[in-house]
């Protein structure tokens, strides 16, 4: 039966709460009828109804009277197909206004009046009496820091690190919690445990780190009570509350970790009847740093909160060379430990966290100034459960010190924390290492999408680097429903940008004041234009473009002020950050000139702004920025592209930018650029030669230029540097550096070394769109593109994505000399089909299958000898393996030298590459090459 399968209001699935009075509505249809398309839909809420014509079913404008604060509506939908069939009415969807009315926020920031320590955690409480029946009780709360409110001895929610991190000068997020079931007649107690978290953390590098926002945390909250007689009462934080700084959370920090003294636990502190005579009156007002005195009126939450998502057991118990107890959880994760233990009072159990081992001990150097520890002093009253509350760690390994008695690994588990987004994307293939790479990308996103999109989760950083998010946003939007998450973060980006003359800070929130100056930085600042455009493309969200348009325009205007004749040059840039050729201590020393990166991004962002203006109906801006985009594009070509198809920086990233951003339009020149890119990739031995900027583009640029095999060799390379090299070294997340772990197992000597950075995992978007062949062809997957490009090295591959219209999937497999493709297209969408040799233009929803002829196997390039070109050798994995293995058998050092230093190109022979090699070894190499035949296993 055809039916409404799912419904939601605005951008969250985890709650009925919405942050706006006019939440947009989305629904999906489940239909057995193939080719199902919606002709119209009816919506009703109470005595209001509306009818919309056409196919719109994603983020449809609210058709009813605006919600009032706290109002709950039940919305129902039914859809009629173009065939005339109508679905039944859907199950009612509760939609609840989580926001407050104008002037209703009255809560003041409160905290310890006389703290004894820096960033001291505390508890606050207040009593109130109820002598009339309560119809509804709603708690609105936020913090300058993080808090866990309690009402009558019970936690009000299971959220973690709430309310999260925002740009504290301009934006606070309040939580909205229905606590009706927790209030009762008579005495009631509302309280909260509060810690500094991001608000009191010290940001910066080396010894220059300092607090930015405030010295002490604060809590803000108000409880609205609605009585059966229609009257209301609000209990809000003010000077009448009481505070205590001697609770079990003794010290807490994002970087340092946490210290609990369980002997100070008093389970009844937030319950009626508790004697709080030893508590003191609260401080009223924020304990802020200069410039951050303003406490903005909080707004309702847009994104899902951070939660405990899953638990992992101990995979292996190790003993380090120093004799320490080390636990391996088998997966680099973000979260913390939960311990169950019994021991004498005062026993201290300490936990130290690390992502990798170095010489069998925890590798702590990459943490830099982050202690990343947890300390627990036992109360000694029987079995106790230990868990940090206001911090998180990035780790795979944990060292336990002070464990009393015999250790049982069943008493420890790792809690995985991240923003509670819905998983929407999957990829699978016949290649086990490729599958592991994709899982590494997923785990990297999970760990770094925690309140904000961070660069890494473990060291003294964990900041919202804009460049990392910019390059990864397409991949993120496939793997998880992150529309609300990124929409929320983009609000902070725009606010920080407005304080910076249109320039986008390198990190958002801007916790590094003065770092890099107020200047614009390409690829990082372009998050202002790229991220909203990606959200529109992947989620069909035009609303984010409307909300962010001023920010998008202000960004390109800021860049135009420092550009000349369409080129952005001669300014500070990070460039193609972490090019593998860059020295460990100079991560910005890329092969490509940073002016090429900057000018390419200027042209691209101008084009995005022009297209956004046209979409929003701003014709004047569309014309203005369209002309500027074309001028910038033409200037880029004139300055950096030769007529012969060479880039002025002869580096893969330069070609990937020119091709990937469609900056070169001449077909013949594009062809030559693509050919040169393929030559460079081969010359480098099919090892990666790009950093943060080039990596998301290089495989697309190769594929679109007709060099799919070269892209495949680059993808599936296992030598260092490559995407799969970390997999061969046991990685379970994507690394910051291609060689964060060196081939001898030691940690890269660079000061900046993380084992959980998602930026280089942006290649996963190419896996989804090209290798598996599932892509959006119209915003929100309203029309889907089915265009797999089977790699010769794979037997099968597939991708599945929960689009805004419902689940879609594509899979392909080899069947003899044919490729069989199967696709599932959700109702109310169509799909454009692009398969070799098939004349299929477009299909409707349902299951489809096609077969086309596989590409012929390349002819054998042998026989091989010392006069064979190095290009022919590297292009045949059998010949390459024979060459390297033959040299390594006699001289491993020479083999490494040949592998790294040889230019693999036409016109260069093996003999020339080995010109300083002993004759006896040359003879051995020639014999090994001669043994390669067409029938040698690949």
């Amino acid at each position: 039966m055809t039916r409404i399968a799912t419904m939601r209001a605005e951008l969250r699935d985890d709650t009925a709460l919405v942050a706006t009075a006019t939440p947009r509505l989305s629904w999906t249809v489940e239909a057995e009828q193939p080719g199902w398309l919606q002709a119209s839909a009816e919506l009703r809420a109470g005595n209001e109804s509306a009818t919309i014509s056409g196919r719109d079913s994603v983020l449809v404008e609210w058709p009813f009277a605006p919600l009032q604060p706290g109002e709950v509506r039940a919305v129902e939908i039914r859809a009629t197909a173009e065939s005339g069939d109508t679905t039944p009415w859907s199950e009612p969807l509760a939609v609840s206004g989580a926001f407050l009315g104008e002037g209703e926020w009255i809560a003041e920031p409160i905290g310890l009046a006389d703290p004894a320590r820096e960033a001291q955690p505390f508890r606050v409480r207040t009593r109130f009496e109820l002598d009339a029946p309560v119809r509804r009780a709603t708690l609105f709360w936020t913090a300058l820091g993080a808090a866990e409110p309690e009402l009558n001895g019970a936690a009000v929610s299971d959220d973690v690190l709430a309310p999260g991190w925002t740009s504290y000068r301009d934006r606070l997020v309040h939580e909205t919690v229905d606590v009706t079931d927790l209030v009762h007649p008579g005495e009631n107690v509302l309280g909260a445990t509060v810690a500094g978290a991001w608000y009191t953390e010290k940001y910066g590098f080396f010894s220059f780190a300092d607090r930015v926002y405030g010295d002490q945390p604060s809590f803000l909250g108000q409880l609205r009570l609605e009585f059966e007689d229609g009257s209301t009462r609000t209990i809000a934080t003010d000077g009448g509350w009481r505070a205590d700084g001697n609770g079990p959370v003794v010290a807490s920090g994002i970087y340092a970790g946490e210290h609990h003294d369980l002997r100070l636990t008093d389970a009844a502190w937030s319950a009626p009847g508790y004697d709080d005579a030893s508590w003191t009156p609260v401080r009223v007002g924020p304990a802020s740093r200069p410039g951050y005195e303003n406490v903005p009126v909080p707004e309702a939450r847009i994104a899902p909160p951070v939660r405990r998502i899953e638990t992992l057991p101990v995979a292996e118990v190790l003993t380090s060379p120093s004799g320490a107890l080390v636990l391996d959880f088998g997966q680099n994760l973000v979260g913390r430990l939960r311990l169950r233990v019994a021991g004498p009072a005062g026993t201290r159990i300490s936990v130290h966290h690390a992502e990798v081992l170095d010489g069998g001990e925890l590798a702590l150097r990459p943490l830099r100034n982050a202690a990343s520890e947890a300390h627990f002093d036992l109360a000694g009253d029987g079995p106790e459960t230990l868990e940090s509350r206001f911090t998180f760690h990035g780790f795979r390994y944990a060292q336990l010190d002070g464990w009393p008695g015999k250790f049982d690994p069943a008493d420890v588990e790792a809690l995985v924390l991240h923003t509670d987004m819905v998983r929407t994307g999957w990829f699978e293939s016949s290649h086990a290492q490729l599958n592991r790479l994709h899982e590494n990308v997923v785990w990297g996103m999970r760990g770094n999408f925690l309140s904000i999109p961070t660069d890494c989760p473990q060291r003294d950083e964990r900041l919202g680097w804009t460049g990392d998010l910019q390059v990864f946003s397409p991949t993120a939007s496939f793997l998880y429903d992150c529309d609300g998450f990124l929409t929320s973060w983009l609000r902070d980006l725009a606010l920080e940008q407005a304080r910076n003359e249109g320039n986008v800070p390198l990190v958002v929130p801007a916790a590094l004041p003065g770092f890099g100056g107020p200047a614009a930085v390409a690829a990082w600042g372009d998050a202002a234009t790229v991220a909203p455009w990606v959200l529109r493309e992947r989620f069909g969200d035009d609303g984010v473009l409307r909300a962010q348009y001023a920010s998008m325009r202000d960004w390109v205007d800021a860049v135009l002020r420092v550009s000349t004749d369409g080129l952005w040059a001669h300014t500070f840039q990070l460039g193609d950050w972490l090019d593998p050729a860059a020295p460990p201590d100079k991560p910005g020393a890329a092969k490509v000139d940073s002016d090429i990166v900057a000018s390419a991004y200027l042209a691209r962002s101008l084009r995005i702004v022009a297209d956004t203006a046209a979409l929003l109906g701003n014709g004047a801006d569309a014309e203005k920025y369209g002309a500027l985009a074309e001028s910038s594009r033409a200037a880029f070509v004139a300055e950096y592209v030769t007529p012969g198809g060479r880039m002025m920086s002869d580096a893969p990233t330069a070609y990937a930018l020119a091709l990937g951003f469609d900056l070169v339009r001449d077909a013949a020149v594009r062809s030559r650029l693509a050919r040169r890119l393929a030559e460079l990739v081969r010359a480098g031995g099919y090892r990666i030669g790009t950093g943060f900027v080039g990596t998301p583009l290089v495989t697309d640029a190769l594929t679109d230029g007709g060099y799919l095999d070269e892209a495949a060799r680059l993808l599936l390379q296992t030598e260092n540097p490559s995407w799969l090299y970390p997999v061969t070294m046991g990685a379970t997340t994507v690394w910051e550096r291609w060689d964060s772990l060196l081939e001898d197992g030691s940690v890269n000597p660079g000061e900046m070394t993380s084992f959980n950075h998602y930026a280089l995992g942006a290649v996963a978007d190419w896996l989804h769109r090209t290798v598996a062949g599932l892509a959006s062809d119209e915003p929100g997957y309203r029309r889907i593109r089915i265009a797999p490009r089977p790699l010769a090295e794979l037997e099968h591959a597939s991708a599945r994505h929960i689009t805004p219209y419902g689940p879609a999937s594509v899979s392909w497999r080899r069947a003899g000399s044919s490729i069989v493709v199967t696709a599932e297209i959700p109702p109310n969408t169509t799909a454009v089909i692009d398969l070799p040799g098939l004349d299929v233009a477009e299909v409707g929803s349902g299951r489809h299958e096609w077969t086309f002829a596989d590409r012929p196997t390349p002819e054998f390039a042998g026989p091989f000898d010392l006069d064979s070109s190095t290009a022919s050798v590297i292009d045949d994995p059998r010949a390459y393996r024979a060459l390297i293995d033959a040299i390594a058998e006699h001289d491993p050092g020479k083999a490494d030298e040949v592998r790294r230093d040889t230019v693999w190109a036409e016109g260069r022979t093996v003999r020339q590459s080995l010109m300083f090699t002993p004759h006896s070894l040359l003879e051995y190499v020639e014999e090994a090459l001669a043994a390669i035949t067409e029938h040698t296993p690949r």
Side-chain angles (χ1 to χ4, degrees):
M1 183 180 70
T2 303
R3 68 184 186 94
I4 303 296
T6 65
M7 291 173 56
R8 82 167 175 186
E10 203 49 29
L11 301 177
R12 292 175 63 182
D13 291 301
D14 64 315
T15 180
L17 298 170
V18 294
T20 173
T22 54
R24 295 166 295 176
L25 300 171
S26 301
W27 60 92
T28 66
V29 173
E30 197 174 88
E32 295 181 0
Q33 173 190 343
W36 194 95
L37 291 175
Q38 177 182 289
S40 63
E42 297 172 81
L43 300 88
R44 66 186 184 191
N47 59 2
E48 291 186 274
S49 63
T51 300
I52 63 168
S53 298
R55 288 173 54 193
D56 289 350
S57 61
V58 172
L59 297 172
V60 174
E61 294 298 324
W62 180 256
F64 311 117
L67 290 169
Q68 297 302 305
E71 181 184 3
V72 180
R73 300 259 192 101
V75 177
E76 298 171 277
I77 297 172
R78 68 179 178 184
T80 298
E82 289 184 350
S83 64
D85 295 333
T86 300
T87 71
W89 284 101
S90 66
E91 292 295 320
L93 173 70
V95 183
S96 177
F99 49 90
L100 288 164
E102 186 73 25
E104 281 193 277
W105 184 268
I106 60 172
E108 298 179 274
I110 61 172
L112 285 175
D114 188 21
R117 302 182 297 279
E118 292 185 343
Q120 184 174 352
F122 65 87
R123 298 175 295 178
V124 290
R125 70 191 304 271
T126 192
R127 298 189 184 95
F128 60 95
E129 296 281 339
L130 290 179
D131 55 7
V134 172
R135 180 173 61 85
R136 188 180 183 190
T138 307
L139 176 63
F140 304 90
W141 72 270
T142 188
L144 299 173
E148 292 180 355
E150 298 181 24
L151 184 55
N152 292 328
V156 302
S157 74
D158 61 356
D159 298 351
V160 176
L161 287 161
W165 189 8
T166 54
S167 299
Y168 291 113
R169 284 179 296 188
D170 300 302
R171 182 170 178 253
L172 274 177
V173 167
H174 72 69
E175 308 292 350
T176 306
V177 189
D178 187 329
V179 292
T180 307
D181 293 341
L182 297 182
V183 297
H184 52 66
E187 182 185 358
N188 290 261
V189 174
L190 174 62
T193 302
V194 188
W198 294 283
Y199 184 74
T200 58
E201 190 53 73
K202 293 182 178 181
Y203 300 103
F205 302 106
F206 309 109
S207 61
F208 306 111
D210 197 6
R211 292 191 175 89
V212 173
Y213 304 115
D215 295 303
Q216 296 289 338
S218 300
F219 178 71
L220 303 85
Q222 55 190 64
L223 177 65
R224 183 172 66 196
L225 301 165
E226 303 170 36
F227 297 96
E228 293 291 352
D229 65 1
S231 62
T232 63
R233 176 186 174 192
T234 296
I235 292 130
T237 50
D238 58 19
W241 287 53
R242 298 181 69 78
D244 170 62
N246 297 308
V249 183
V250 177
S252 179
I254 295 294
Y255 299 154
E258 215 155 83
H259 175 202
H260 290 195
D261 188 341
L262 282 304
R263 293 169 296 184
L264 302 177
T265 300
D266 189 344
W269 73 270
S270 64
Y274 178 79
D275 182 5
D276 62 5
S278 64
W279 291 36
T280 59
V282 296
R283 158 188 45 88
V284 178
S288 59
R289 287 290 178 101
Y292 293 85
E293 297 88 352
N294 176 60
V295 179
V297 174
E299 63 179 51
R301 170 174 289 284
I302 296 171
V306 176
R307 293 193 174 106
R308 300 171 181 87
I309 303 299
E310 66 173 296
T311 62
L312 294 182
V314 175
E316 187 177 5
V317 179
L318 308 171
T319 301
S320 76
S322 66
L325 173 64
V326 175
L327 308 180
D328 177 6
F329 291 90
Q331 172 64 52
N332 195 15
L333 61 96
V334 175
R336 54 208 189 198
L337 296 190
R338 180 182 287 154
L339 317 172
R340 289 171 288 272
V341 62
T347 299
R348 174 165 293 185
I349 297 174
S350 295
V351 185
H352 303 268
H353 305 83
E355 295 184 295
V356 297
L357 301 179
D358 197 355
E361 304 285 352
L362 297 188
L364 299 178
R365 177 176 63 81
L367 298 178
R368 299 192 307 213
N369 292 322
S372 198
E373 299 171 344
H375 303 284
F376 303 96
D377 300 331
L378 300 185
D381 54 1
E384 301 175 64
T385 299
L386 317 178
E387 178 190 342
S388 298
R389 295 170 66 176
F390 301 107
T391 191
F392 60 94
H393 310 278
F395 68 100
R396 172 175 171 170
Y397 299 93
Q399 178 177 311
L400 295 186
D401 297 328
W403 190 271
K406 184 179 179 181
F407 176 72
D408 183 349
D411 290 331
V412 180
E413 59 188 355
L415 302 176
V416 177
L417 305 179
H418 61 77
T419 294
D420 194 9
M421 304 168 295
V422 175
R423 177 80 184 267
T424 56
W426 296 264
F427 171 86
E428 191 271 333
S429 76
S430 58
H431 197 290
Q433 291 177 322
L434 187 59
N435 295 341
R436 181 66 251 187
L437 170 65
H438 192 268
E439 278 303 294
N440 292 359
V441 175
V442 173
W443 276 98
M445 177 178 174
R446 295 179 71 183
N448 283 294
F449 273 48
L450 192 155
S451 183
I452 65 167
T454 59
D455 59 325
C456 61
Q458 72 299 97
R459 67 183 181 224
D460 56 344
E461 206 161 341
R462 315 184 199 186
L463 302 171
W465 286 91
T466 49
D468 300 50
L469 185 279
Q470 184 265 132
V471 299
F472 190 72
S473 54
T475 298
S477 298
F478 185 91
L479 295 176
Y480 281 88
D481 180 357
C482 56
D483 192 10
F485 176 88
L486 292 180
T487 294
S488 177
W489 179 75
L490 284 168
R491 290 171 71 85
D492 290 306
L493 182 149
L495 291 166
E496 300 283 21
Q497 177 190 11
R499 291 180 173 271
N500 205 28
E501 299 178 342
N503 294 304
V504 175
L506 291 170
V507 298
V508 172
L512 301 175
F515 179 74
V521 177
W524 276 253
D526 292 281
T529 56
V530 173
W533 191 255
V534 167
L535 296 184
R536 190 253 178 178
E537 177 191 55
R538 301 304 178 91
F539 298 107
D541 192 348
D542 290 349
V544 71
L545 293 183
R546 288 191 292 271
Q548 295 299 128
Y549 180 67
S551 164
M552 300 166 75
R553 184 190 57 211
D554 290 351
W555 164 246
V556 294
D557 284 348
V559 177
L560 288 169
R561 289 197 296 269
V562 295
S563 64
T564 303
D565 298 327
L567 296 176
W568 185 6
H570 314 304
T571 64
F572 167 78
Q573 297 293 340
L574 295 177
D576 194 22
W577 189 252
L578 284 171
D579 179 319
D585 59 341
K586 295 181 179 179
K591 294 186 291 293
V592 64
D593 191 309
S594 64
D595 288 352
I596 288 181
V597 173
S599 293
Y601 265 97
L602 172 57
R604 185 190 188 203
S605 281
L606 284 167
R607 173 47 54 197
I608 289 174
V609 170
D611 291 346
T612 300
L615 185 73
L616 300 180
N618 188 335
D621 274 6
E623 183 177 354
K624 171 186 173 181
Y625 290 105
L628 287 167
E630 177 56 26
S631 175
S632 181
R633 185 200 67 77
F636 178 93
V637 174
E639 186 77 9
Y640 300 121
V641 184
T642 74
R646 287 287 187 109
M647 298 297 299
M648 295 303 291
S649 278
D650 196 31
T653 291
Y655 293 88
L657 286 166
L659 294 166
F661 289 177
D662 198 28
L663 302 178
V664 177
R665 303 282 173 78
D666 183 278
V669 177
R670 285 185 66 87
S671 177
R672 289 192 286 270
L673 289 171
R675 183 176 67 239
R676 180 56 184 164
L677 173 59
E679 290 172 351
L680 288 173
V681 167
R682 181 173 61 192
Y686 295 109
R687 291 184 296 274
I688 199 74
T690 52
F692 275 26
V693 168
T695 294
L697 303 171
V698 65
T699 48
D700 272 308
L702 286 168
T703 306
D704 293 345
Y707 296 96
L708 178 64
D709 290 336
E710 285 76 2
R713 287 289 302 277
L714 188 65
L715 171 72
L716 300 176
Q717 173 68 267
T718 58
E719 293 180 2
N720 179 24
S722 67
W723 280 293
L724 295 186
Y725 164 72
V727 174
T728 70
M729 298 296 288
T732 59
T733 41
V734 174
W735 295 348
E736 178 178 24
R737 296 176 181 267
W738 295 107
D739 59 349
S740 286
L741 207 64
L742 303 182
E743 292 167 53
D744 62 3
S746 63
V747 176
N748 188 294
E751 185 271 336
M752 187 184 68
T753 302
S754 156
F755 295 89
N756 193 351
H757 252 72
Y758 54 60
L760 298 178
V763 69
D765 190 53
W766 181 73
L767 297 180
H768 308 146
R769 291 182 292 99
T770 303
V771 176
L774 177 59
S776 173
D777 200 61
E778 284 186 5
Y781 294 84
R782 184 183 176 101
R783 184 171 65 190
I784 297 167
R785 182 174 178 81
I786 307 298
R789 296 296 180 260
L791 306 186
E793 296 83 352
L794 305 184
E795 290 299 314
H796 61 79
S798 62
R800 181 165 62 93
H801 181 56
I802 301 176
T803 78
Y805 293 88
S809 65
V810 178
S811 65
W812 62 263
R813 59 182 173 85
R814 286 196 154 78
S817 60
S818 298
I819 302 290
V820 179
V821 177
T822 303
E824 291 280 352
I825 311 302
N828 208 26
T829 68
T830 60
V832 58
I833 312 303
D834 180 0
L835 299 174
L838 295 187
D839 186 17
V840 183
E842 193 166 323
V843 299
S845 64
R847 186 180 186 277
H848 304 273
E849 184 172 290
W850 305 274
T851 300
F852 63 89
D854 196 0
R855 291 183 299 151
T857 303
E859 294 185 9
F860 180 56
F864 297 99
D865 55 33
L866 292 176
D867 294 314
S868 296
S869 73
T870 56
S872 65
V873 169
I874 195 69
D875 283 345
D876 191 312
R878 298 164 296 189
Y880 174 73
R881 189 167 57 245
L883 170 68
I884 299 301
D885 289 350
I887 299 172
E889 187 175 339
H890 291 78
D891 188 345
K894 179 67 174 179
D896 285 340
E897 179 185 316
V898 170
R899 180 188 297 114
R900 295 178 186 278
D901 297 340
T902 298
V903 176
W904 308 90
E906 298 289 353
R908 298 181 185 235
T909 67
V910 175
R911 190 186 304 277
Q912 291 167 337
S913 297
L914 301 178
M915 62 187 303
F916 296 112
T917 303
H919 184 72
S920 58
L921 181 51
L922 285 178
E923 289 181 342
Y924 189 77
V925 169
E926 187 154 40
E927 291 175 4
L929 289 174
I932 299 299
T933 70
E934 189 171 3
H935 305 293
T936 302
R938 293 180 66 90

